[in-house]
Amino acid sequence: MKLHRQFLLLHSQYGGQNEQDVTLDELAEVLECTHRNALNIITRMSEQGWIGWQSQRGRGRRSQLTFIASPEQIAMESMMHTIERRDIRDSMEQIRLHARSPVVEEQLQDWLLSYFGPHSEIQRDRQIDQLRLPIRQRIHTVDPLYMNLLAESFVSSHIFDGLVRKSGADGTIIPHLAHAWETDAQRTGWTFYLRKDVLFHHGQILTAEDVVYTFERLIRTSRRALYRFVFKQIQSVRALNATTVHIQLQEPSELFLPFLCTSRAAIVPKGLNRRSEQEFGLKPSGTGPFRMVEQSEERCVLEVFKPYFQGRAHLDRVEIIHIPWSVSGNRAEPAEPISPFHLIPNPAVPDDHSWSQLPSPVSVRKFVTFNTQKEGPLRDPHIRAHICNCLQDPTNQHVKPAATINTDNIVSLRILTIPQYRKDAREIAETLQQHYDCEVLSLPIEQFQGPLRMKSDLIVFSLTRDQDEQLRLYDLYLTLSQHMDTHTRIDIEHALIDIRRQSDARVRDTLFRQIWERLAADHQLYVLYEKPVQTAYLPTVRGITFNSQGWVDLRHIWFPSPPTDAS
């Protein structure tokens, strides 16, 4: 690996011409080593066939250096060795220096197709079926309470289970860890009956005490976690016996049961298996179909949990490797959080004949909202309408300045977003630059939710439209209402109360849609675009299904075994 980097360093210095007259002292200076080490390095490169070296004896005599291998070839070999040795960070910057080359693009794509995906190997006379996935987002934790990223939720959903889950295209809620449940007439008291003999990965049997611990942990947290509005409505959790749990809500909420289907509400063992919260996020123990056996900054390995109460998964092992750079496209911007994967969702090779495609039942809607709580020009509905018109016609050919804008004073606007949406925010700024002076600010999600949002003018959001869309919309409207004018905020809060009490999901859909239409009509938000999430897979992979979040369900994936010699 070090020799690859040294070759790339030499080529960046002397690669302008195929042949160069240099001294060993000059090479030693570039390589930052001694004269003797420089000679050893040159000799090794020559033996590898990377360079030609015609030495002239004597210190100070100029020798002839000829580059035989291309930097793309060496960078490619470096990438392969890096990934195979699971030491990705070690060579990342050197790889990036050459990753813009179309040659590297094509070679890397071909190699990824062969390295990642399904593989089988024989271990101790037994076939092990493994799936390798490259992933763009780094997995910091899979603890249901602390995870923030889609990649973390994806992994967590295969390690942990909830009391109930969603099934089918219509999202019907069915039993899971709880085989049955009931609620009282006021719909504030919920009783769940647990399956018997469900095992955690460390061998402990699931009991009602684990469920109590899980929800009390959610109640106690001060984190601004997704769906906080639901679990903060829990008044108490009690274990009636080893397999029965009673949850009391402060007030009726028809979004409570759908919340229990999310990965946020997954059940963890009481006391986190005697681990600290930080340690548990890296060495978790759940009841899911896979258990985590290795977790580092570059690599996450899942192995099948054979005693899984819903039946053993077909795969034996799933290896998830963090590769932050994109296989193709613009590397200047971070990867969209719509899909953290390289080879499963949103492929970079949609036209490759070796791949098949399956649309996920999920789309992502990107939009911009207006801070009308802040004193300033956006309280003027004419200016908001003008901005929406500009965004609708990016050429600005048919958009006249807003009648209420003083053309002598340019209106300044701050556009706030998170790093993943920076590209969209910059495009908005470029579109509006003819009429407005725009500043783009991107913050990590933790800071994005803080006070700087209230000081910004335009805020770029997204909405994942999956089977949890109603929960996401409720959470979204609570957030948006904080930077709306007082009248709009009160209307939204009243509408959300009606939604929370509405038992018919179709009526809730209508009420949510009315809020959206009201905000759009008042030019309080503007939809930039909506994109479906696509999933690509090799034809040898079978059993592609999706969970309620639109993620591929690893438990059902399988691929045919290669034929064995009958003789």
Side-chain angles (χ1 to χ4, degrees):
M1 289 300 300
K2 188 175 181 180
L3 193 65
H4 289 81
R5 295 198 300 272
Q6 290 165 334
F7 174 90
L8 296 174
L9 185 60
L10 283 183
H11 194 279
S12 65
Q13 182 73 20
Y14 297 111
Q17 297 178 359
N18 284 339
E19 297 181 357
Q20 289 279 348
D21 291 333
V22 295
T23 67
L24 274 175
D25 287 337
E26 291 171 340
L27 294 182
E29 184 177 351
V30 172
L31 295 170
E32 297 181 345
C33 65
T34 65
H35 181 280
R36 181 177 180 180
N37 284 339
L39 180 59
N40 289 334
I41 291 169
I42 290 298
T43 301
R44 291 174 60 197
M45 290 183 186
S46 179
E47 291 172 350
Q48 292 284 340
W50 295 355
I51 64 170
W53 178 251
Q54 293 183 1
S55 175
Q56 298 296 326
R57 292 186 177 276
R59 183 175 290 272
R61 299 286 300 273
R62 306 192 74 81
S63 302
Q64 190 176 74
L65 171 66
T66 305
F67 289 98
I68 299 173
S70 68
E72 291 85 4
Q73 173 190 339
I74 302 304
M76 193 67 216
E77 289 183 11
S78 177
M79 293 180 205
M80 294 178 185
H81 292 312
T82 295
I83 295 173
E84 288 173 343
R85 292 175 56 187
R86 299 157 188 150
D87 191 16
I88 294 172
R89 282 192 305 169
D90 187 47
S91 297
M92 187 59 64
E93 292 307 316
Q94 284 74 22
I95 292 170
R96 280 175 170 166
L97 289 173
H98 301 272
R100 292 183 182 275
S101 165
V103 176
V104 172
E105 288 279 352
E106 184 176 351
Q107 292 178 346
L108 177 59
Q109 187 68 70
D110 291 341
W111 187 77
L112 285 176
L113 291 175
S114 63
Y115 181 79
F116 293 103
H119 296 270
S120 294
E121 58 185 60
I122 302 298
Q123 294 182 3
R124 298 177 182 176
D125 298 326
R126 183 171 168 270
Q127 178 173 305
I128 303 298
D129 292 333
Q130 174 174 280
L131 183 67
R132 293 195 189 113
L133 295 175
I135 199 167
R136 290 191 182 110
Q137 295 176 347
R138 176 167 290 160
I139 298 172
H140 302 279
T141 179
V142 294
D143 186 333
L145 176 59
Y146 289 96
M147 61 189 181
N148 285 316
L149 303 176
L150 287 179
E152 295 169 345
S153 296
F154 170 77
V155 175
S156 182
S157 69
H158 290 91
I159 296 174
F160 299 96
D161 291 300
L163 294 175
V164 294
R165 67 182 180 90
K166 290 183 179 179
S167 176
D170 59 351
T172 301
I173 297 178
I174 63 173
H176 202 44
L177 289 178
H179 67 83
W181 66 89
E182 58 192 22
T183 184
D184 60 17
Q186 292 74 37
R187 298 187 69 77
T188 55
W190 295 77
T191 304
F192 296 89
Y193 302 94
L194 305 181
R195 297 180 190 271
K196 295 181 179 180
D197 297 330
V198 173
L199 290 177
F200 282 102
H201 299 156
H202 61 284
Q204 173 185 316
I205 294 177
L206 169 75
T207 71
E209 292 296 337
D210 300 302
V211 179
V212 171
Y213 176 84
T214 296
F215 287 101
E216 286 186 342
R217 186 170 177 246
L218 284 173
I219 295 170
R220 290 194 306 268
T221 187
S222 59
R223 296 188 71 249
R224 294 180 177 179
L226 186 65
Y227 310 143
R228 175 187 174 92
F229 71 92
V230 181
F231 60 75
K232 285 300 182 179
Q233 287 294 314
I234 298 176
Q235 182 172 304
S236 63
V237 189
R238 292 184 298 125
L240 304 185
N241 54 50
T243 58
T244 310
V245 181
H246 182 80
I247 301 178
Q248 186 68 38
L249 303 182
Q250 297 174 13
E251 57 184 57
S253 175
E254 297 301 328
L255 294 175
F256 175 65
L257 201 59
F259 164 71
L260 297 184
C261 301
T262 68
S263 53
R264 184 73 70 195
I267 304 304
V268 300
K270 182 179 180 179
L272 303 179
N273 192 25
R274 298 180 180 179
R275 291 184 171 130
S276 67
E277 294 200 332
Q278 182 176 3
E279 186 182 13
F280 184 77
L282 300 175
K283 298 179 180 179
S285 180
T287 60
F290 292 91
R291 62 189 184 94
M292 183 179 286
V293 296
E294 182 179 336
Q295 165 67 357
S296 67
E297 290 187 351
E298 284 84 23
R299 189 165 172 262
C300 169
V301 179
L302 306 179
E303 285 188 355
V304 65
F305 183 53
K306 295 178 182 178
Y308 185 55
F309 74 98
Q310 293 279 41
R312 185 198 194 280
H314 300 295
L315 292 172
D316 297 292
R317 182 182 175 92
V318 179
E319 187 174 338
I320 301 169
I321 300 174
H322 175 227
I323 301 182
W325 30 265
S326 175
V327 174
S328 66
N330 184 2
R331 289 173 182 75
E333 298 295 333
E336 283 276 2
I338 293 173
S339 167
F341 303 93
H342 284 290
L343 298 187
I344 293 246
N346 288 345
V349 286
D351 298 324
D352 191 291
H353 68 278
S354 64
W355 288 78
S356 300
Q357 291 222 21
L358 188 67
S360 164
V362 173
S363 63
V364 175
R365 177 182 292 175
K366 196 76 62 68
F367 59 95
V368 60
T369 66
F370 298 78
N371 183 359
T372 54
Q373 179 67 31
K374 175 186 173 183
E375 288 282 353
L378 296 189
R379 287 196 170 181
D380 185 340
H382 296 94
I383 294 181
R384 298 199 304 270
H386 179 256
I387 291 174
C388 291
N389 289 336
C390 290
L391 296 176
Q392 189 172 5
D393 180 16
T395 64
N396 286 320
Q397 292 180 356
H398 307 290
V399 181
K400 297 180 180 179
T404 54
I405 293 180
N406 182 352
T407 55
D408 294 332
N409 298 317
I410 297 179
V411 174
S412 297
L413 299 174
R414 172 185 282 176
I415 305 173
L416 180 67
T417 191
I418 58 177
Q420 291 87 344
Y421 303 162
R422 189 187 296 121
K423 181 179 179 182
D424 296 288
R426 286 173 176 168
E427 289 177 354
I428 292 171
E430 291 173 4
T431 300
L432 299 179
Q433 65 182 355
Q434 182 176 331
H435 305 285
Y436 303 92
D437 181 21
C438 297
E439 171 198 7
V440 173
L441 178 64
S442 65
L443 298 174
I445 186 66
E446 297 81 7
Q447 300 177 35
F448 178 78
Q449 297 170 339
L452 270 176
R453 181 164 55 87
M454 304 304 295
K455 298 178 181 179
S456 301
D457 300 290
L458 303 178
I459 305 161
V460 180
F461 275 88
S462 75
L463 171 69
T464 302
R465 306 193 64 193
D466 55 16
Q467 287 186 3
D468 295 335
E469 183 177 359
Q470 290 193 352
L471 286 165
R472 297 183 188 278
L473 280 170
Y474 197 103
D475 200 84
L476 174 67
Y477 290 142
L478 278 179
T479 301
L480 294 188
S481 67
Q482 297 172 6
H483 59 256
M484 299 290 181
D485 62 88
T486 304
H487 179 69
T488 303
R489 177 177 54 80
I490 292 173
D491 287 347
I492 290 177
E493 290 173 350
H494 286 164
L496 292 179
I497 292 173
D498 292 339
I499 288 171
R500 193 168 64 237
R501 294 174 177 173
Q502 178 53 245
S503 60
D504 190 328
R506 292 170 298 182
V507 176
R508 292 199 298 269
D509 277 335
T510 300
L511 295 175
F512 276 125
R513 187 168 59 252
Q514 288 174 354
I515 297 177
W516 188 280
E517 291 172 351
R518 151 82 185 274
L519 295 178
D522 290 347
H523 303 294
Q524 301 263 25
L525 63 78
Y526 178 82
V527 176
L528 299 170
Y529 57 84
E530 183 166 340
K531 291 183 178 180
V533 175
Q534 293 283 343
T535 293
Y537 59 97
L538 290 167
T540 52
V541 175
R542 313 285 175 83
I544 300 291
T545 60
F546 302 98
N547 63 14
S548 62
Q549 285 80 36
W551 303 326
V552 173
D553 191 339
L554 297 177
R555 187 166 75 92
H556 299 294
I557 286 181
W558 66 280
F559 48 91
S561 303
T564 56
D565 189 351
S567 62

